[in-house]
Amino acid sequence: MAVTWHGAAITRDLRPVNWSGISVFDLDGTGRIREARAYFDRAAFQAQVHGS
């Protein structure tokens, strides 16, 4: 199973930071989460955080 998500924050110097990603869940036979992995564009996130 996979879900998309979005995040938003404000840096200490009041710049907005917005990002999105996808989380992928591996479920066991009863539907419980066995493993979870999240993916997002780290370079784009860091460019916003560091003002690049």
Side-chain angles (χ1 to χ4, degrees):
M1 172 177 52
V3 295
T4 60
W5 48 264
H6 304 278
I10 298 175
T11 64
R12 290 182 182 168
D13 59 353
L14 304 179
R15 284 181 288 109
V17 177
N18 296 285
W19 69 102
S20 60
I22 185 171
S23 292
V24 179
F25 299 94
D26 182 21
L27 306 177
D28 68 12
T30 66
R32 293 184 179 189
I33 298 171
R34 187 168 48 188
E35 183 180 358
R37 294 175 309 280
Y39 302 93
F40 66 100
D41 187 340
R42 185 178 304 261
F45 175 81
Q46 289 180 337
Q48 291 181 75
V49 170
H50 299 293
S52 301

